[in-house]
Amino acid sequence: MDIEELEIRDFVGANRPFDQLPVEALVSMVEAITIRYVRRESEVSGTEQGEPALSMVRSGAVELRTDTGELLTRLGEGDLFGYRASAHEVAEDHHYVALEDTLLYRLPSSVVDRLCNEHSQIAWFLAPAGAGRLREAVRHHDDTSNSPLNLTDTRLGDLLEREPVHLPPGATIRQAAELMSEEKITSMLIVEDGTLFGVLTDRDLRLRVIAAGVDPESALSEVMTLAPVTASVDTNAYDALLTMARHRIHHLPVVDGDRVAGVVTASDFIERHTTSSVYLAADIHRQDSVDSLADIAQRLPQLVSNLAAAGASAERTQCVVTGIADALSIRLLELAELELGAPPVDYAWIVAGSHARGEFTIASDQDNALILDDGYDDTRDGDYFAEMARFVCNGLARCGQPVCPGDVMATNPEWRTTLSGWQSRFSHWIDNPDPTALMHGCTFFDLRHIYGDASLSATLRRSMLERTRGNSIFLSHLTGNALKRQPPLGFFRNFVLSHGRDETGVLDLKHVGVVPIVELARVYALAGGIDEVNTRARLNAAGATDELSSSGARDLGDALTFLSDTRFRHQARQLEAGTDVDSLVAPETLSRFERGHLKDAFAIVRTMQRSLAQRFGR
Amino acid sequence: MLERILGNFICRRMASLERQRLWWLKRAPAGPLRDYYQVPFARPTTPSVSTDYLALDLETTGLAPERDELLSIGFVPISGHGLQLGGARHYLVRPERAIPESSAVVHGILDDRAREGLPLAEALPPLLQALAGRVLVAHSARIEHDFLDAVCRRLYGCAFVAPLVDTLELEQRKIVRAGSPIAPGALRLDALRQQYGLPRYRAHDALSDAIGAGELLLAQIAYRTTTRPLRLDELMRRY
């Protein structure tokens, strides 16, 4: 008809969600539009033909404010508001007011409902709350679930395809070799009464039996590897690969509690994974000098670019980058011990912050520390650990992990102390939560063991959680700290719109995006005494307790995924362009689709911040 | 001719448009024009928000109604101070003579496309039907009015009258009242739309311009409305 050639149709059809409509449906929708003009500073009526109205801003700008004048959102050209399009529950005391002279395209609710019934894409976009929409977006975006990159999601237990083949320790080497040929397997588990005694591989048969001239009629127990490294069925495949790389083994027995469940081999993974990241980790463990480690580490940016190009999510990539960072630390510590000799007392090398949470990115700097056994004597052992810290931290810096600007590193004597020293420090932070204490605390409340005596790290974490759990004074301070950073309200034209702040032309996806979620998750974990460090793991664990509703945990998880992925794509583009990597995004580079979902994610975070404030705030 | 002189004479004597309508209703031949006159005009004292308008734009081969021809008609109804896109229509009209080059430059309607149009006798009735009971809105409405008058006389032998709101005249009145000089071009539709913060349209066909004039009226109304509701006669063009 006549509408077809109109620019109005082009305008409406160029904006979400109506760009999803077939032409005939779009034309019939445009025919239902009423155009209204709202003078600057006038209130926008909420109804059209006596029904609640959905409005699209054609030109001008509209604000949503409460009776008390609090700004909730601001809408510009192409934005939708009103019926089914508000991220906010629009209450009686909320008003849409034209900020400029504004031309609106409006639809009555009956037309909107009909569109939603007939076109699921529209219904999806005009869902009553942003959370569901964000979940869909996250699911659609993460299209790598069937790709070879899903190692971090794969449990070892799911890789086991057959019952384990095993023999008792008393069986002969010949019996083992025959059974291995028969079953076409490359390793034999040695099990008695369901307990794993050892493992014998093809390579062992070659090196320890034939080359060494051992009689094939001897008992297996003479040549097998005793008490081999094992992994639980719940370990994710990626961690298992890193373990194998670290120990330079190709067979990894898998246990389910006390029961032997089977064995995985390196080749089981290769079919599933491009493995470049695992090769990189394996290479790291083969290097004998800091120079050669630094050479190898230069491959990391390319690896991250490849992962991004292959469509990997931010979370998978962080897992890979964290794994590489772990491998570098471990290898440097091994090299340090080789150079400095055996340590005079037990120690644990720990990492803090994003590295501890498994959220290391290519732009992260190092946060690490040393926990020393209480037998440590400063005059006797001080030089050794100072030297170790210097060796490792300098090494890490050469491998592309910048030194921490806040000097949270083991080279700083303050962060190189005994277990009881650490415990009293944590007590101090928790009992006197002033701003400095919270700043240090928030770094070290996220703490993970890397190398050395794991019981030192575990003891410290346990005693910390005992002190924080249900500690309402501490938690209220921690909450206050966590709520300092509020996500923006959304976007207005090419600006980021924040409550009580000027519009800015740049969105800091780290500080107003990811960090507020990390901080919420930390409060839930410390409040509930949850021994998880990774943000998603904390949210999941908290969602199973009274600390957080399961829907809250899920919504925050989705928001985290979307914000991290948006940041990761931004960083991947920077890597590609060879510029410095940061988290600062210019709104004009975001698609309308991304803006919409970012707004939903921010709304979720703000909602959860409010409920946390009610719970612990003072 | 006598009819026409008499009509004009009586027009001038008529105190109200409504009485003119009744006068022409008796004289119009059965058909679209009489049907149009069947529906009472809006009372001048009606609040603007309760008035039904029809924003109209005509494209023509020139500016002389007695000589030039219609090329296209575009209109959109306005009710309750909202433009109803569902009622928007656009008709190309087939002229009887070739389109002068000078006018083709302005509206871009060339002979080929004009030949696809409807004969005037088919394009006019839907417009009259849509206009019934509505106030005609146009930018420089006198031209629309005079062309419709000329074609009604040609086709039906009877004059065309309608309550008019002229968005150009409204603006002119405002400037004159303020005692400011009128800059050249300041009263053009595009210039005024820009002044009221309305978007710029690329196209200038009859329907786009009708919508453009309708939106301009909404803006003018918004800026004239005070605490007291605006009445239709505050907007209407004086005949």
Side-chain angles (χ1 to χ4, degrees), chain A residues 197-213:
Chain A
F197 272 71
V199 65
L200 184 79
T201 67
D202 265 354
R203 193 162 175 266
D204 295 336
L205 285 172
R206 210 164 64 233
L207 298 179
R208 296 186 195 163
V209 179
I210 296 167

Side-chain angles (χ1 to χ4, degrees), chain A residues 388-526:
Chain A
M388 167 183 263
R390 194 195 55 78
F391 184 94
V392 176
C393 294
N394 289 352
L396 288 172
R398 290 193 53 201
C399 292
Q401 293 178 25
V403 297
C404 172
D407 207 17
V408 178
M409 294 194 297
T411 43
N412 181 344
E414 201 179 342
W415 309 127
R416 199 169 66 227
T417 187
T418 59
L419 177 61
S420 39
W422 276 104
Q423 283 170 325
S424 64
R425 193 160 301 175
F426 269 102
S427 312
H428 178 76
W429 290 333
I430 293 164
D431 297 339
N432 307 286
D434 61 55
T436 322
L438 283 171
M439 186 187 76
H440 287 137
C442 285
T443 307
F444 284 105
F445 291 139
D446 302 346
L447 172 165
R448 186 164 59 89
H449 179 78
I450 289 289
Y451 188 80
D453 182 359
S455 68
L456 290 170
S457 321
T459 307
L460 180 59
R461 280 197 58 77
R462 207 165 37 242
S463 59
M464 168 189 86
L465 288 172
E466 277 163 14
R467 280 185 171 273
T468 61
R469 176 189 212 150
N471 181 338
S472 56
I473 296 176
F474 165 74
L475 291 170
S476 103
H477 279 95
L478 190 68
T479 299
N481 193 59
L483 300 187
K484 269 191 202 145
R485 285 186 225 276
Q486 306 243 338
L489 296 166
F491 301 95
F492 175 65
R493 300 193 172 133
N494 281 333
F495 293 98
V496 180
L497 184 68
S498 305
H499 177 59
R501 254 177 296 161
D502 286 342
E503 294 167 359
T504 58
V506 66
L507 173 65
D508 185 339
L509 278 173
K510 182 181 177 188
H511 289 111
V512 300
V514 175
V515 167
I517 303 179
V518 168
E519 297 194 325
L520 285 172
R522 183 187 298 126
V523 178
Y524 302 136
L526 295 184

Side-chain angles (χ1 to χ4, degrees), chain B residues 24 35 71 87 95 113 135 168 177 179 196 221:
Chain B
W24 288 113
D35 294 344
L71 288 173
R113 217 185 133 211
V135 175
L168 185 145
R177 233 187 350 256
Y196 282 98
I221 289 171

Side-chain angles (χ1 to χ4, degrees), chain A residues 1-3 5-8 10 30-40 48-49 58-60 101-103 105, chain B residues 79-86 88-90 196-203 207-208 211 215 218-219 222-223 225:
Chain A
M1 200 249 354
D2 313 307
I3 300 282
E5 295 164 26
L6 277 184
E7 284 172 57
I8 296 169
D10 297 344
V30 170
E31 284 175 359
I33 283 179
T34 297
I35 302 179
R36 284 191 189 278
Y37 182 90
V38 187
R39 186 180 166 178
R40 185 178 41 208
E48 197 57 69
Q49 293 152 40
R58 171 61 178 89
S59 61
D101 290 335
T102 298
L103 196 66
Y105 294 162
Chain B
S79 295
H81 288 168
L83 248 80
Q84 316 290 338
L85 282 187
R89 296 289 182 276
H90 189 211
Y196 282 98
L198 288 163
R200 207 185 169 80
Y201 290 141
R202 291 184 310 273
L207 180 53
S208 293
I211 292 172
E215 289 173 349
L218 296 184
Y223 269 86
T225 303

Side-chain angles (χ1 to χ4, degrees), chain A residues 34-94:
Chain A
T34 297
I35 302 179
R36 284 191 189 278
Y37 182 90
V38 187
R39 186 180 166 178
R40 185 178 41 208
E41 289 165 15
S42 314
E43 184 160 350
V44 181
S45 147
T47 60
E48 197 57 69
Q49 293 152 40
E51 299 173 17
L54 171 69
S55 300
M56 178 182 271
V57 179
R58 171 61 178 89
S59 61
V62 172
E63 280 187 349
L64 177 63
R65 286 187 182 269
T66 63
D67 263 351
T68 54
E70 188 195 351
L71 175 65
L72 294 179
T73 187
R74 191 176 291 167
L75 304 134
E77 197 168 284
D79 289 337
L80 288 175
F81 67 93
Y83 185 66
R84 289 180 84 150
S86 295
H88 302 268
E89 295 267 325
V90 178
E92 288 276 303
D93 65 338
H94 291 180

